[in-house]
Amino acid sequence: MKKKMMVTLLTSVCLMGPVGMLTQTHPQVVQAASKGKLRVKGNKKVRLYTNRGKKSKYYAYTSRTYSYSAKKYLKIGKKKHLAYKIGNNSHWILAKNAKLVKKTVERYSQAVIKLPSGYTRSELLEAYKGHPSEEFIAASMKGMEENNFSRVATGETASDKRLINPDKLSASEQHELADFSLRVINSAREQLGLEPWIYSTGTQELADDIANEYEEHGRSIKDQGHYVEGIVKACQKHGLELDDNYVEDMAGFTINKTTMPMGEMKRNVYFGLKQMIFGFAGSGEDERKNKSLYREWEHAGDLFNTQGSSHDGDHNYYGFSISKTGKIYSMHFISVPTFIVGSEKYNTNFRP
């Protein structure tokens, strides 16, 4: 029943767009409330006008998108022309020189794992033992394809846009990620007729101490193995007399930045869980169609308490933590089986 880890690393890429530059020939950024956005029509810069319909010294450029705060008709000569205000100093662009940018509606989606037909506990058990059927591999590949939250840029809600530091999570941020990961796990367990795992304070404290052991000793997922010594030490500190790793599954990612949107962090967590459930050993979404990379379901056996033992079908107490070593972030999915909690042999003082 030893827990395993995903030996592949996810890579989070920070895509930075070009920064808009202000020069003396550009209008200043509008300060009033924006009513919409527009771009210059055609491929040449266009002259802007003052509030009185006079030509200004400023231009609007095709490379930029402008917010406008008002529109009205300007009298230029003997004619009136519809115009949009795009600056805070009465810079107006004629409507004939502009094209409005359609508002995009951000679509959010809740993260769940849907198990395809053919993904059953009996098939999983054979895969856990190292003998996956062709049908089960096909179901796993379908699961990697159809469960696409890790490829959705928006996240679950607008609040997922806020920046977090994975190495310095607040208590509420850590609890949000623990709740998120547990919800994803239980969404899949329910489809297999399994009881849900339960978040517990004691297991969360254990998860935190395991993460601390990794950081204090410079260990990470990149070391191609669990830090068993640290895991055993943390377990015994919490009253669990275990001599090996029976509590940790692990995934990870690397980034070259210190902060990221909460939605990006959730996508990393989701992808790690998706890898485990569907036996995918690739390093990213781009490799998900490679059949040869579907070869390890020991994590799934852990997550679904399906390992060919007398304790199959049980449920666990759960906690989640993150450790950082260099630019590598290890995600620790910590679970303590109920039979261990109820065992006088293994549990001397652990309280979930």
Side-chain angles (χ1 to χ4, degrees):
M1 71 178 247
K2 290 183 183 179
K3 301 266 180 165
K4 302 296 181 181
M5 58 170 263
M6 297 305 295
V7 297
T8 53
L9 295 178
L10 312 181
T11 302
S12 296
V13 180
C14 180
L15 299 178
M16 301 295 291
V19 178
M21 298 178 63
L22 292 177
T23 68
Q24 290 184 349
T25 57
H26 282 224
Q28 295 184 32
V29 178
V30 63
Q31 300 297 317
S34 173
K35 292 185 177 180
K37 295 183 178 181
L38 58 81
R39 293 181 66 87
V40 172
K41 188 184 297 183
N43 55 12
K44 295 182 179 180
K45 66 181 181 180
V46 297
R47 175 81 71 170
L48 299 179
Y49 288 79
T50 68
N51 189 48
R52 296 179 179 275
K54 303 295 184 180
K55 288 182 179 181
S56 78
K57 63 180 180 179
Y58 295 106
Y59 291 83
Y61 292 81
T62 58
S63 60
R64 296 188 60 189
T65 299
Y66 299 90
S67 295
Y68 69 89
S69 59
K71 62 180 179 179
K72 72 172 186 177
Y73 284 90
L74 296 179
K75 187 175 181 181
I76 301 175
K78 295 182 179 181
K79 294 184 178 181
K80 292 184 177 181
H81 299 266
L82 180 63
Y84 296 94
K85 184 180 180 182
I86 62 171
N88 63 349
N89 290 320
S90 295
H91 300 292
W92 295 79
I93 182 173
L94 299 184
K96 68 178 183 178
N97 294 328
K99 55 183 179 181
L100 300 183
V101 177
K102 292 183 179 179
K103 293 183 178 180
T104 58
V105 178
E106 292 187 314
R107 300 183 182 277
Y108 301 101
S109 60
Q110 188 176 44
V112 296
I113 293 288
K114 182 179 179 181
L115 301 179
S117 174
Y119 194 106
T120 65
R121 286 187 62 203
S122 59
E123 287 285 343
L124 170 59
L125 182 57
E126 290 304 309
Y128 178 84
K129 294 177 179 178
H131 308 291
S133 67
E134 288 296 316
E135 293 76 15
F136 187 71
I137 294 174
S140 294
M141 293 182 70
K142 185 176 182 181
M144 280 293 296
E145 181 65 33
E146 292 183 344
N147 292 284
N148 67 349
F149 180 81
S150 46
R151 303 192 295 273
V152 174
T154 52
E156 293 194 299
T157 67
S159 68
D160 279 348
K161 293 179 180 179
R162 71 190 188 280
L163 292 178
I164 63 168
N165 182 341
D167 186 41
K168 296 180 180 178
L169 296 172
S170 68
S172 62
E173 290 167 346
Q174 183 171 16
H175 190 274
E176 181 175 349
L177 289 170
D179 179 72
F180 170 83
S181 56
L182 183 58
R183 174 161 48 84
V184 172
I185 291 169
N186 283 337
S187 71
R189 286 179 62 86
E190 182 180 12
Q191 296 166 65
L192 294 175
L194 295 167
E195 291 185 53
W197 280 6
I198 301 170
Y199 177 84
S200 75
T201 301
T203 312
Q204 183 59 58
E205 291 174 352
L206 173 61
D208 293 339
D209 281 343
I210 288 175
N212 289 337
E213 287 290 332
Y214 273 81
E215 289 190 349
E216 289 175 5
H217 295 88
R219 301 294 293 267
S220 74
I221 188 172
K222 192 177 181 181
D223 296 315
Q224 304 296 312
H226 295 274
Y227 180 41
V228 176
E229 182 180 349
I231 293 170
V232 170
K233 181 180 177 181
C235 284
Q236 292 180 349
K237 174 184 175 182
H238 288 271
L240 291 173
E241 292 301 319
L242 304 175
D243 60 2
D244 208 328
N245 172 34
Y246 298 107
V247 299
E248 179 186 76
D249 287 297
M250 185 164 58
F253 58 93
T254 60
I255 54 173
N256 295 316
K257 54 187 179 181
T258 57
T259 62
M260 64 170 64
M262 174 61 86
E264 183 179 347
M265 184 66 231
K266 287 181 177 179
R267 290 195 296 275
N268 286 330
V269 172
Y270 183 90
F271 182 74
L273 287 171
K274 190 168 72 164
Q275 280 185 296
M276 297 179 192
I277 290 171
F278 296 117
F280 178 64
S283 60
E285 289 280 2
D286 291 344
E287 298 179 304
R288 67 184 183 274
K289 297 183 185 298
N290 186 340
K291 182 180 177 181
S292 68
L293 294 175
Y294 291 80
R295 54 175 181 256
E296 189 273 292
W297 285 269
E298 293 185 28
H299 290 83
D302 295 340
L303 295 174
F304 298 141
N305 296 85
T306 301
Q307 301 159 318
S309 77
S310 59
H311 305 293
D312 278 15
D314 284 356
H315 63 280
N316 297 4
Y317 293 97
Y318 179 77
F320 173 82
S321 61
I322 301 172
S323 63
K324 178 178 182 291
T325 303
K327 297 178 181 179
I328 302 170
Y329 292 79
S330 301
M331 299 181 290
H332 308 274
F333 302 87
I334 306 301
S335 65
V336 182
T338 50
F339 83 88
I340 288 181
V341 174
S343 169
E344 293 182 358
K345 177 181 178 181
Y346 298 119
N347 184 4
T348 60
N349 195 34
F350 177 72
R351 297 179 181 178

